[in-house]
Amino acid sequence: MRFTLGQIPGRPNNAIKTSVIVIASQILFVLFIDMADCATFDNLPTLYQYYTAGGIKTGLSDNQTYFTLNNKNITLFSGALHYFRVPKVYWRDRLRKYRAAGLNAVETYVPWNLHEYENGVFDFGNGGSDFEDFLDVVQFIELAKEEDLFVILRPGPYICAEWEFGGLPSWLLRYENIKVRTTNKQYIEFVERYFKKLFELLTPLQFRKGGAIIAVQIENEYGNTKYGNKPVETAYLEKLKELLMQNGVVELLYTSDTPTNGFSGTLPGVLATANFQEGATHELTLLKEFQPNKPLMVMEYWTGWFDHWTEKHHTRTAEEFGKVLEEILSFGASVNMYMFHGGTNWGFMNGANIDDDSFDNRGYQPDITSYDYDAPLTESGDYTDKYYKTKDIIAKHNKIKVRQPDMPASTERFAYSSIHIISELSLEDLVEQSKVLSTDKVLPMEMLPINNDSGQSYGYIVYRKNNLNISKNSTLKIEGRICDSVLVLINGQLKSRILKSKEDFEGFGYWKLQNGSLNLGNEEYKNATLELVVENWGRVNFGKLYQFNQHKGLWQGNLLLNDHVLTIDQIIPLEFKKKWNNGLKNWKVPIFESGPKLYKAILNVDEPKDTYVDMREWNKGFIIINGFVLGRYLRLGPQQTAYLPAPLLKKGENELLVFEHFSPSKQIKFSENLIF
Ligand SMILES: *[C@@H]1O[C@H](CO)[C@@H](O)[C@H](O)[C@H]1NC(C)=O
Ligand SMILES: *[C@@H]1O[C@H](CO)[C@@H](O)[C@H](O)[C@H]1NC(C)=O
Ligand SMILES: *[C@@H]1O[C@H](CO)[C@@H](O)[C@H](O)[C@H]1NC(C)=O
Ligand SMILES: *[C@@H]1O[C@H](CO)[C@@H](O)[C@H](O)[C@H]1NC(C)=O
Ligand SMILES: *[C@@H]1O[C@H](CO)[C@@H](O)[C@H](O)[C@H]1NC(C)=O
Ligand SMILES: *[C@@H]1O[C@H](CO)[C@@H](O)[C@H](O)[C@H]1NC(C)=O
Ligand SMILES: *[C@@H]1O[C@H](CO)[C@@H](O)[C@H](O)[C@H]1NC(C)=O
């Protein structure tokens, strides 16, 4: 069952209310109609009324083989929704879609790297970072309650999640001996400070205090021994448990891992839950054997899957998805569907995997910007067959009759007409407007003395040598690996190759090649400027513990010119922060030559609508909308379009910038749909 835009599924006879909602939906979802009173079960209690009738005496209990909440039976039908991956304006819409599918809970991670974006500087909404509009976690949890959903909280501090560095702040890497995800004193001190701030806000939102949070996770897949987290430091999990309790967490604590990987990531007396996609009966049987007297919960039932750049887009049929969901619920387990709605890895926030045994970066695989995940709701919030499957299956298994809203109408999308590039800034123009640090040392971005001594977290870093004589047929060598890609320029002209195929990642310019060298050609240069523009393509979120100490830029060895060590003169951080992007000046008439440049176009909008930016005519880079870095693109795919939601647009002129590494197009196109 699919329906077209503007059409409301649900009661067809509710014509007046329906038309009101249709109009409202066309004015963007900024306006919300209280749908509770047009719900199908008007006379039923809400979920909250049902579970809190007679007063709140206790929370979610795992004291028997089934869950109770406030001493009433409950099966959790939960879905993951990461507030930081969805525009705030759409939180209510997505949450209502969850509830309308019959879900009674929403699960979210909490990204430390966004909330403490500089060492000791916090943002929980309106905190001044580029992501402030995505960070009001308190509001998100309150909205979840308003939409009649319980909340399962996964505060990390490590969250994996295909998110940059698994949600850890990059400034941790400034401390030479820090060991993240361990009892390392320095690391724990930072966790302590962050948890104090976070839980000051969140503990009042716990169920027993009248809020929505019913359970809190300790760390994340800490027992993933299959991927080399050995030795698992149980003391670290104990420490986190202690910290949560010290900070006033009173709701149910649990850990989350895949049973077939063993139970080394569990704690005595703390509920263990399961993560998997297939083999539900096998996984749940192992979990039951491990803790026979506790309820069963699948904390991550993977509805689809994510993609790395250059992979084929992963999909999973609704039938396969439904079969396993049915198997889980028939087994008597509760479930959290990961993801029920994936959203977007905005800006530079994609994570990466490491897929081999090397201690360095060779097996690095960055994730795409879309986190569509082939989930029941698409990246832009559309219903899919998996959504309807979920709704049917939950209706069949749910024994608790409470009020449920009708399905909200879909949000309209629009393919704007193509827009032309009107101006450009060369790398030199960008550097002129940046902070230029004088140094002869090749440092990784995290170690730069900027951002209140938090270093550079994201974006690009330029290493520059001035007044250099380069003889004909010279060879530039970079010892070690590049983290993660480099463009080589002499006097502003691109000397490294234009990316054509994924095999190019094995050659000079990319992380896979160790000690890569580049022939600089047959020209001779006097007093030249040599620039190495290095891209941070997203830090690893999933790999072995020792792989978590990952710096970005150049730092693994020397630079050599014809086998002689080459010192540098300057480092220029290109962070592409919103304020800086919006203040860029000296735009030139575009000449569209190869090499890294920033291009500008203006999108005129009457009424902002969701759209996708179609980047199929471009090669590699990222997009900026009204100063905010929207996401990356790559012609090699799989993702070809970038979700641009209406809340990031405004009436009138919108500035769209494209930073292209290699070969620009003269226009930017739009599409109504996500194209893989
Ligand atoms: C579970 O049992 C313990 C020990 O009897 C008790 O202290 C606790 O309150 C119970 N938890 C809930 C949520 O009922
Ligand atoms: C709660 O669930 C258990 C296990 O399924 C069942 O034995 C019990 O009767 C249920 N209690 C109520 C009040 O439905
Ligand atoms: C700089 O960092 C310190 C903590 O390290 C913090 O207290 C202070 O507010 C920060 N200053 C600014 C301007 O952000
Ligand atoms: C570069 O070449 C010029 C002209 O030949 C020469 O004067 C200068 O000393 C050279 N610079 C270096 C660093 O070798
Ligand atoms: C260029 O240098 C390489 C070695 O670095 C050498 O093999 C080759 O013959 C040189 N070519 C020319 C035209 O000098
Ligand atoms: C790269 O260079 C380093 C140091 O010069 C050396 O130890 C290493 O074996 C080299 N690696 C490769 C693959 O050549
Ligand atoms: C070298 O180039 C710089 C500009 O990059 C210029 O200021 C300087 O005068 C030049 N020096 C020589 C010797 O040509």
Side-chain angles (χ1 to χ4, degrees):
M1 179 169 72
R2 295 259 185 164
F3 58 94
T4 49
L5 299 176
Q7 205 178 314
I8 303 280
R11 281 198 310 198
N13 59 350
N14 208 338
I16 297 167
K17 276 169 183 164
T18 300
S19 61
V20 170
I21 296 160
V22 170
I23 292 161
S25 75
Q26 285 166 357
I27 322 176
L28 241 187
F29 277 105
V30 182
L31 280 176
F32 290 101
I33 305 288
D34 177 11
M35 291 186 59
D37 60 8
C38 60
T40 321
F41 314 101
D42 289 350
N43 49 349
L44 292 174
T46 65
L47 199 58
Y48 269 84
Q49 285 165 348
Y50 179 86
Y51 280 101
T52 61
I56 299 168
K57 298 190 179 66
T58 184
L60 187 67
S61 167
D62 65 350
N63 280 355
Q64 54 288 307
T65 55
Y66 49 91
F67 284 118
T68 57
L69 179 63
N70 200 19
N71 297 324
K72 292 194 171 90
N73 283 7
I74 187 167
T75 298
L76 295 170
F77 306 106
S78 175
L81 172 56
H82 302 154
Y83 56 95
F84 47 96
R85 282 179 153 133
V86 177
K88 182 177 180 164
V89 173
Y90 289 158
W91 288 348
R92 190 187 291 278
D93 169 69
R94 306 301 194 255
L95 289 165
R96 187 165 301 174
K97 284 171 175 165
Y98 277 42
R99 189 71 196 102
L103 303 191
N104 55 15
V106 57
E107 170 267 306
T108 189
Y109 277 128
V110 180
W112 183 9
N113 68 324
L114 295 187
H115 287 301
E116 192 175 349
Y117 64 101
E118 284 176 12
N119 189 343
V121 184
F122 296 86
D123 191 345
F124 292 99
N126 304 313
S129 74
D130 283 9
F131 272 87
E132 63 180 0
D133 286 343
F134 294 87
L135 295 182
D136 195 342
V137 56
V138 169
Q139 190 188 333
F140 177 77
I141 293 169
E142 283 171 347
L143 276 179
K145 188 181 170 194
E146 281 176 37
E147 291 300 322
D148 212 19
L149 289 160
F150 299 118
V151 171
I152 297 171
L153 187 76
R154 308 214 283 172
Y158 160 77
I159 61 170
C160 194
E162 287 70 68
W163 193 253
E164 178 13 87
F165 204 8
L168 299 172
S170 67
W171 50 259
L172 292 173
L173 299 171
R174 290 174 69 83
Y175 299 86
E176 207 187 331
N177 296 316
I178 204 162
K179 289 200 171 59
V180 302
R181 303 186 70 197
T182 71
T183 53
N184 171 269
K185 188 161 169 288
Q186 192 138 44
Y187 171 69
I188 292 295
E189 278 170 12
F190 287 126
V191 174
E192 279 172 343
R193 184 179 62 182
Y194 164 60
F195 268 15
K196 190 160 180 293
K197 289 274 179 195
L198 179 67
F199 286 104
E200 264 166 27
L201 299 171
L202 299 190
T203 46
L205 305 178
Q206 295 179 98
F207 180 79
R208 287 182 224 200
K209 306 198 186 298
I213 300 168
I214 56 167
V216 179
Q217 181 173 307
I218 301 172
E219 238 271 348
N220 191 70
E221 295 193 332
Y222 195 61
N224 207 332
T225 51
K226 191 175 161 191
Y227 293 96
N229 273 349
K230 276 179 193 164
V232 172
E233 221 194 328
T234 302
Y236 169 54
L237 294 179
E238 290 284 7
K239 182 69 196 174
L240 291 180
K241 179 184 170 195
E242 185 190 309
L243 281 181
L244 292 171
M245 292 171 72
Q246 275 170 6
N247 279 294
V249 173
V250 294
E251 302 302 337
L252 183 74
L253 298 176
Y254 68 91
T255 58
S256 154
D257 265 300
T258 300
T260 45
N261 290 345
F263 293 95
S264 56
T266 61
L267 278 179
V270 173
L271 180 71
T273 63
N275 297 352
F276 58 79
Q277 182 168 71
E278 305 288 341
T281 301
H282 177 61
E283 297 286 359
L284 287 169
T285 302
L286 290 176
L287 184 61
K288 199 172 176 173
E289 281 166 14
F290 176 71
Q291 48 178 37
N293 302 320
K294 289 196 182 272
L296 294 168
M297 167 108 200
V298 183
M299 194 48 71
E300 289 188 15
Y301 165 43
W302 302 318
T303 59
W305 201 244
F306 61 94
D307 304 320
H308 298 120
W309 287 114
T310 74
E311 279 177 356
K312 188 174 176 302
H313 173 52
H314 292 82
T315 56
R316 186 164 182 252
T317 65
E319 285 62 42
E320 185 60 19
F321 160 77
K323 212 181 88 214
V324 178
L325 180 60
E326 182 67 56
E327 193 179 336
I328 290 168
L329 296 176
S330 299
F331 204 96
S334 282
V335 69
N336 174 50
M337 285 167 272
Y338 187 102
M339 301 297 294
F340 196 72
H341 169 47
T344 309
N345 299 319
W346 311 111
F348 301 125
M349 288 304 134
N350 65 281
N353 280 25
I354 281 219
D355 75 343
D356 67 13
D357 289 336
S358 57
F359 276 77
D360 58 24
N361 222 24
R362 171 155 177 93
Y364 172 76
Q365 297 175 296
D367 302 327
I368 64 170
T369 290
S370 170
Y371 202 56
D372 178 86
Y373 210 87
D374 199 30
L377 292 170
T378 66
E379 178 175 27
S380 47
D382 285 358
Y383 299 107
T384 69
D385 292 346
K386 283 182 188 167
Y387 181 92
Y388 297 105
K389 253 294 179 256
T390 307
K391 197 171 191 300
D392 291 347
I393 293 172
I394 291 179
K396 195 177 119 192
H397 286 269
N398 183 21
K399 298 191 189 77
I400 311 292
K401 294 297 164 228
V402 288
R403 205 185 294 174
Q404 202 173 306
D406 288 335
M407 288 165 58
S410 287
T411 308
E412 198 181 336
R413 277 197 306 283
F414 183 66
Y416 295 97
S417 307
S418 304
I419 50 176
H420 290 280
I421 298 299
I422 53 167
S423 50
E424 68 173 39
L425 288 175
S426 66
L427 186 77
E428 194 187 342
D429 297 326
L430 293 172
V431 164
E432 264 172 17
Q433 301 179 59
S434 305
K435 207 169 263 146
V436 176
L437 309 168
S438 294
T439 176
D440 56 1
K441 272 182 91 172
V442 178
L443 295 170
M445 61 169 62
E446 297 82 1
M447 301 311 286
L448 301 184
I450 60 169
N451 294 326
N452 193 14
D453 273 332
S454 295
Q456 179 184 358
S457 293
Y458 315 114
Y460 292 65
I461 178 168
V462 182
Y463 300 91
R464 185 151 78 169
K465 176 72 177 171
N466 299 315
N467 314 113
L468 183 65
N469 292 343
I470 303 173
S471 52
K472 282 186 187 176
N473 196 27
S474 284
T475 300
L476 174 74
K477 185 168 174 182
I478 302 176
E479 282 183 347
R481 293 187 197 279
I482 292 144
C483 304
D484 302 296
S485 83
V486 65
L487 301 164
V488 178
L489 285 80
I490 300 177
N491 296 335
Q493 301 295 306
L494 184 66
K495 291 293 155 189
S496 46
R497 290 183 52 179
I498 290 177
L499 181 64
K500 297 229 162 64
S501 72
K502 77 179 214 189
E503 284 68 43
D504 288 345
F505 293 152
E506 303 283 345
F508 180 87
Y510 301 92
W511 67 94
K512 288 196 181 188
L513 182 66
Q514 206 179 4
N515 306 335
S517 56
L518 176 70
N519 187 298
L520 296 176
N522 271 327
E523 239 177 290
E524 186 179 351
Y525 301 90
K526 294 282 177 208
N527 195 25
T529 303
L530 173 72
E531 283 162 318
L532 308 183
V533 184
V534 181
E535 171 200 23
N536 166 0
W537 205 342
R539 293 185 187 81
V540 169
N541 65 277
F542 185 81
K544 300 175 184 179
L545 270 179
Y546 55 72
Q547 289 164 330
F548 274 89
N549 288 346
Q550 25 176 349
H551 290 90
K552 292 296 185 184
L554 299 181
W555 54 275
Q556 299 194 348
N558 289 313
L559 294 178
L560 303 168
L561 185 62
N562 300 324
D563 294 325
H564 295 292
V565 172
L566 184 71
T567 57
I568 56 160
D569 299 317
Q570 288 155 337
I571 292 182
I572 302 102
L574 293 178
E575 302 186 276
F576 296 99
K577 287 188 180 172
K578 194 169 179 175
K579 199 169 155 213
W580 185 80
N581 295 339
N582 281 333
L584 284 169
K585 298 187 296 271
N586 303 331
W587 290 92
K588 312 269 166 57
V589 175
I591 49 174
F592 302 107
E593 61 183 4
S594 336
K597 285 192 182 180
L598 190 65
Y599 297 91
K600 173 152 91 175
I602 300 293
L603 177 64
N604 271 297
V605 169
D606 293 334
E607 207 58 69
K609 293 204 177 80
D610 281 14
T611 189
Y612 280 89
V613 190
D614 181 348
M615 297 306 287
R616 283 177 292 182
E617 290 183 1
W618 297 72
N619 190 337
K620 170 167 174 45
F622 64 91
I623 303 162
I624 298 171
I625 181 70
N626 295 323
F628 178 73
V629 181
L630 186 66
R632 307 178 202 262
Y633 64 88
L634 179 71
R635 189 185 290 164
L636 295 174
Q639 177 183 359
Q640 299 295 341
T641 53
Y643 178 46
L644 172 50
L648 295 179
L649 293 171
K650 56 191 188 214
K651 233 186 171 95
E653 289 197 351
N654 293 268
E655 195 179 79
L656 227 171
L657 309 182
V658 178
F659 184 81
E660 163 66 41
H661 288 207
F662 302 109
S663 33
S665 168
K666 292 185 174 159
Q667 58 181 351
I668 300 171
K669 293 183 172 174
F670 296 89
S671 156
E672 224 177 283
N673 294 305
L674 174 55
I675 300 170
F676 278 108

